[in-house]
């Protein structure tokens, strides 16, 4: 891991997390759909481990640990190398959308269960808004990575 790779992760994660939050906290509610509160899931997870789970901790985990580090690391070091090995070199759009779908399964299917919340949040409106948000995150993150790598 180089300083350049860390910068790539932070910049792409920053834009992707902002796209996710713009969709989930502004656009979706404006269209009459659910309002996402991803820091609430992070707070629930922290609380389930007996860790401090105030607002600051929830936002810190959601934005910094997950959005800027965790999800970009998952793409760069796990998903993208496996995708390339199995599928060969393909256009980035499809694998980025599939990666976003996987993030949704991980977050809403897995992390919610660990945090003591209902599996896939009982498939309420939040579940589907989160699906769009995670797929959007994956697409934006990889698009920004590709733009930076091209320069």
């Amino acid at each position: 891991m180089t300083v350049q790779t860390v910068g790539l992760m932070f910049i792409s994660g920053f834009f992707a997390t902002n796209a996710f939050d713009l969709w989930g906290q502004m656009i979706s509610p404006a269209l009459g759909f659910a309002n996402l509160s991803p820091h609430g899931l992070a707070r629930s997870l922290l609380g389930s481990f007996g860790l401090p789970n105030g607002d600051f901790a929830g936002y810190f985990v959601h934005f910094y640990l997950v959005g800027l580090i965790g999800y970009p690391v998952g793409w760069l070091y796990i998903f993208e190398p496996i995708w390339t090995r199995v599928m060969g070199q393909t256009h980035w759009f499809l694998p980025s959308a599939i990666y976003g779908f996987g993030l949704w399964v991980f977050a809403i299917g897995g992390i919610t269960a660990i945090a003591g919340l209902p599996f896939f949040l009982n498939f309420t409106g939040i579940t589907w808004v989160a699906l769009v948000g995670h797929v959007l995150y994956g697409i934006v993150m990889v698009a920004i990575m590709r733009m930076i790598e091209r320069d």
Side-chain angles (χ1 to χ4, degrees), residues 36-109:
L36 289 183
S37 178
H39 81 286
L41 175 56
R43 290 179 60 202
S44 295
L45 179 65
L46 292 169
S48 72
F49 292 125
L51 298 170
N53 63 345
D55 275 340
F56 176 80
Y59 284 112
F60 181 83
V61 168
H62 162 63
F63 190 79
Y64 293 103
L65 298 183
V66 174
L68 299 185
I69 299 169
Y71 285 176
V73 163
W75 170 263
L76 289 172
Y77 295 105
I78 300 168
F79 186 85
E80 198 272 337
I82 292 171
W83 177 271
T84 303
R85 227 176 260 131
V86 172
M87 302 300 290
Q89 289 289 17
T90 62
H91 190 271
W92 61 267
F93 187 82
L94 179 61
S96 69
I98 292 170
Y99 181 66
F101 177 81
L103 297 177
W104 174 73
V105 170
F106 171 76
I108 306 302

